[in-house]
């Protein structure tokens, strides 16, 4: 994920070495819990100067924002109220097939062609005959298994459309290269410090099959739901097998140096180069898919670590860096999806995660 944002003066914590002033900073208390403790995590609203802990907000904030921050009362167009700091449940996207097809730009593929591709995918799963060599079994990635009921798939897509619309993003299932950011030519897996593992040819074919299925509306069996504490989060809508490709992490590709002070809490490392000026991140704030809404574990507690059911892996795919979220165990229907946000590059603050 993105680098930790430096602490800003908007909290009641005094900068290191600053003298204690009699400006009644110590009188600031959290509007939600009433405590003045944890000063470094007690935000001061830029509109009303009221205080709120980042972990008392609903949904919580993982860290202190870098830019201006307004409490829910000041940010809301409705009259101010001290009663609740809980964000409103987002408006649901219409469960109308034509609107969903247009939103996701689903391609209408002839039934026969779709069946042929599905059959081809099944053929690759068959074990070859002949003599079997005794060797360590290689674990291959699996394509997701869409829900059989078309109406159920519509509900799944509508849930993602709801989340994207509420966050002001548009759907994209590919990495995007925008003028003024990093060019596609900058995405070179060969620049990865220490090297990057190559995705085997058969797994590349499985990834491409998943992309084709999504293009024609055969969706991963996932629902985006809204939780008062976690915000948008994702849960399995049917049983998912270990090693199933859940999704690729996508968004605008930019240089890390351009985003060091960015407030976005969903940035993902794409390329960690030996030269920091060549390192790349994925920024899903404007264009994204369901990966943006999959939450991280609290890796400060044993119970938090037990929740992890996905792994986030960066691969060299035809010379370019790609990021995949893959099931690292069997996942039951109704189980929420989590992975570890903390890679080797940055320490992401997860101590207040559920």
């Amino acid at each position: 994920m993105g680098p930790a944002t430096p602490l800003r003066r908007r909290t009641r914590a005094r900068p290191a070495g600053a003298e204690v002033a009699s400006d009644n900073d110590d009188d600031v208390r959290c509007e939600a819990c009433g405590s003045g403790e944890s000063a470094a995590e007690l935000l001061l609203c830029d509109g009303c100067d009221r205080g709120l802990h980042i972990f008392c907000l609903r949904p919580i904030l993982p860290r202190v924002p870098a830019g201006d921050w307004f409490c829910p009362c000041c940010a809301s167009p409705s009259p101010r109220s001290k009663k609740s700091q809980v964000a409103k449940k987002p408006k649901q996207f219409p469960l109308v097939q034509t609107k969903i097809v247009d939103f996701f730009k689903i391609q209408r593929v002839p039934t026969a062609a779709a069946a042929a591709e599905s059959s081809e995918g099944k053929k690759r799963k068959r074990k070859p005959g002949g003599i079997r060599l005794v060797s360590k079994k290689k674990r291959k990635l699996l394509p997701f298994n869409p829900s059989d009921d078309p109406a159920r798939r519509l509900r799944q897509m509508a849930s993602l459309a709801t989340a994207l619309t509420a966050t002001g993003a548009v759907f994209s299932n590919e990495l995007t290269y925008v003028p003024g950011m990093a060019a596609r030519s900058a995405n070179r897996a060969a620049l990865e410090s220490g090297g990057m593992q190559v995705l085997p040819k058969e797994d590349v074919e499985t990834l491409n099959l998943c992309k084709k299925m999504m293009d024609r509306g055969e969706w991963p069996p996932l629902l985006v739901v809204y939780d008062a504490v976690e915000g948008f989060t994702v849960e399995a809508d049917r049983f998912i097998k270990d090693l199933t490709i859940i999704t690729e992490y996508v968004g605008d590709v930019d240089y890390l140096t351009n985003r060091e002070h960015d407030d976005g809490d969903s940035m993902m490392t794409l390329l960690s180069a030996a030269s920091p000026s060549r390192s790349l991140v994925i920024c899903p704030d404007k264009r994204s898919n369901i990966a943006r809404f999959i939450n991280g574990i609290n890796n400060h507690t044993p119970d938090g670590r037990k929740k992890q059911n996905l792994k986030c892996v960066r691969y060299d795919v035809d010379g370019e860096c790609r990021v995949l979220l893959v099931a690292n165990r069997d996942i039951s229907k109704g189980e929420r999806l989590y992975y570890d946000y903390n890679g080797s590059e940055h320490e992401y603050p997860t101590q207040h995660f559920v």
Side-chain angles (χ1 to χ4, degrees):
M1 302 303 291
T5 304
L7 185 67
R8 298 294 293 264
R9 185 64 187 96
R10 73 154 51 86
T11 72
R12 58 163 285 226
R14 296 185 177 82
E19 295 183 2
V20 177
S22 58
D23 56 1
N24 293 325
D25 263 3
D26 289 336
D27 292 336
V28 178
R29 295 184 178 275
C30 176
E31 292 287 312
C33 71
S35 171
E37 300 299 319
S38 302
E41 297 173 309
L42 183 55
L43 292 170
L44 295 181
C45 175
D46 287 302
C48 64
D49 282 337
R50 292 191 181 98
L52 275 169
H53 287 119
I54 58 174
F55 49 83
C56 287
L57 282 164
R58 294 295 182 267
I60 64 171
L61 283 178
R63 58 186 172 213
V64 175
D68 290 342
W69 177 81
F70 296 92
C71 69
C73 294
C74 290
S76 174
S78 58
R80 295 184 181 183
S81 171
K82 296 182 181 180
K83 291 183 179 180
S84 174
Q85 305 301 335
V86 179
K88 293 181 179 179
K89 190 173 181 179
K91 181 180 179 181
Q92 299 299 300
F93 192 86
L95 192 61
V96 179
Q97 182 173 348
T98 54
K99 291 183 179 294
I100 292 173
V101 168
D102 290 342
F103 185 90
F104 291 106
K105 297 179 174 61
I106 294 171
Q107 302 172 4
R108 292 173 173 82
V109 180
T111 305
E117 286 187 5
S118 178
S119 175
E120 182 62 27
K122 291 178 181 178
K123 286 180 182 178
R124 289 203 296 269
K125 295 179 184 178
R126 294 173 184 167
K127 295 180 181 179
I131 300 174
R132 295 179 64 187
L133 300 177
V134 178
S135 61
K136 185 177 180 181
K137 184 179 179 181
K138 181 183 178 299
R139 304 183 74 195
K140 299 174 183 177
L141 299 183
L142 303 174
F144 59 77
N145 189 13
S147 297
D148 299 322
D149 182 6
R152 193 67 195 169
R153 293 203 297 268
L154 278 180
R155 284 192 287 273
Q156 294 160 0
M157 288 186 277
S159 72
L160 175 56
T162 295
L164 290 171
T165 302
T167 54
V170 297
F171 175 73
S172 173
N173 211 27
E174 306 287 344
L175 293 175
T176 46
Y177 300 89
V178 180
M181 297 186 191
R184 185 166 187 170
S185 58
N187 183 3
R188 295 166 52 199
L191 297 176
E192 175 73 14
S193 179
M196 182 176 290
Q197 60 182 315
V198 177
L199 188 66
K201 180 180 178 181
E202 190 165 0
D203 289 341
V204 173
E205 292 174 354
T206 301
L207 175 61
N208 291 336
L209 174 62
C210 291
K211 296 277 189 177
K212 289 179 181 178
M213 286 194 292
M214 291 189 69
D215 286 343
R216 61 176 182 254
E218 295 183 14
W219 220 248
L222 306 171
L223 279 172
V224 184
V225 297
Y226 188 79
D227 183 277
V229 176
E230 296 184 82
F232 287 110
T233 188
V234 179
E235 63 182 37
D237 202 30
R238 74 179 301 175
F239 173 78
I240 297 174
K241 291 185 66 174
D242 183 18
L243 289 179
T244 296
I245 295 177
I246 301 300
T247 186
E248 179 179 359
Y249 206 99
V250 301
D252 295 338
V253 178
D254 201 359
Y255 290 104
L256 175 61
T257 51
N258 293 343
R259 300 282 180 154
E260 286 181 328
H261 302 292
D262 197 299
D263 258 354
D265 62 357
S266 297
M267 283 192 298
M268 171 70 72
T269 298
L270 178 64
L271 169 63
S272 183
S275 172
S277 63
R278 291 186 167 185
S279 293
L280 302 175
V281 290
I282 303 170
C283 309
D285 52 325
K286 294 182 179 179
R287 282 164 282 272
S288 55
N289 61 9
I290 202 166
R292 176 185 179 182
F293 304 107
I294 299 177
N295 285 332
I297 61 169
N298 181 336
N299 51 15
H300 294 263
T301 66
D303 287 342
R305 290 190 288 270
K306 287 178 183 177
K307 288 185 176 182
Q308 182 174 356
N309 48 23
L310 304 182
K311 59 182 177 180
C312 179
V313 192
R314 291 185 295 132
Y315 287 107
D316 175 341
V317 180
D318 298 329
E320 294 185 340
C321 307
R322 306 274 285 275
V323 182
L324 302 185
L325 295 179
V326 179
N328 65 356
R329 61 172 173 81
D330 289 346
I331 303 172
S332 303
K333 180 180 178 180
E335 187 177 346
R336 289 188 177 178
L337 306 188
Y338 295 96
Y339 65 101
D340 190 352
Y341 279 6
N342 283 310
S344 58
E345 296 89 1
H346 303 292
E347 180 65 24
Y348 195 88
T350 67
Q351 65 270 25
H352 298 306
F353 283 17
V354 176

